[in-house]
């Protein structure tokens, strides 16, 4: 990535004053990212999101991990959804070697 598009390589500046956390910089450079799901659509979403910041999107190494969310099967409300995502990310990271844990949880909210 070049500075001309406002995004610098992993570990550098992104969008002005933003600095990547060391764990995210390592993840963007090919260190394992443990994802708390085995759902192909969610894994693709994580790969696309991280890959958009990596110098080489193909270097993103995702490790799918089937973990429990710790919330009802159909979470209701932002609190349950966020708690489920955090639980999945923490459990995924704790399950083995990795520099970053990612959790995605869907649910219902009143609009």
């Amino acid at each position: 990535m070049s500075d001309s598009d406002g995004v610098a390589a992993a570990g550098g500046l992104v969008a002005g004053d933003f600095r990547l956390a060391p764990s995210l910089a390592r993840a963007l450079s090919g260190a394992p990212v443990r994802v708390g799901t085995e759902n192909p659509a969610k894994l693709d979403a994580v790969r696309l999101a991280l890959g958009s910041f990596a110098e080489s999107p193909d270097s993103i190494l995702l490790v799918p991990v089937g973990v429990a969310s710790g919330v009802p099967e159909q979470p209701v409300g932002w609190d349950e959804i966020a708690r489920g995502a955090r639980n999945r990310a923490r459990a995924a990271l704790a399950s083995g070697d990795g520099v970053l844990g990612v959790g995605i949880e869907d649910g219902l909210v009143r609009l």
Side-chain angles (χ1 to χ4, degrees), residues 54-72:
E55 280 191 59
S56 172
D58 293 335
S59 69
I60 302 298
L61 174 61
L62 300 184
V63 180
V65 182
V67 296
S69 68
V71 297

Side-chain angles (χ1 to χ4, degrees), residues 19-111:
R19 284 203 181 271
L20 295 176
S23 58
L24 180 55
R26 290 192 303 272
L28 295 176
S29 297
V33 176
R34 300 188 76 80
V35 185
T37 186
E38 295 174 307
N39 179 310
K42 291 180 180 181
L43 292 168
D44 286 345
V46 173
R47 185 177 313 284
L48 285 171
L50 292 176
S52 68
F53 291 100
E55 280 191 59
S56 172
D58 293 335
S59 69
I60 302 298
L61 174 61
L62 300 184
V63 180
V65 182
V67 296
S69 68
V71 297
E73 188 171 326
Q74 182 60 76
V76 177
W78 293 115
D79 289 341
E80 280 189 0
I81 294 167
R83 188 169 58 250
R86 278 191 305 271
N87 290 346
R88 287 182 186 277
R90 289 176 178 147
L93 188 57
S95 71
D97 183 40
V99 297
L100 190 65
V102 176
I104 298 176
E105 189 70 31
D106 57 5
L108 300 174
V109 294
R110 182 178 294 277
L111 299 177

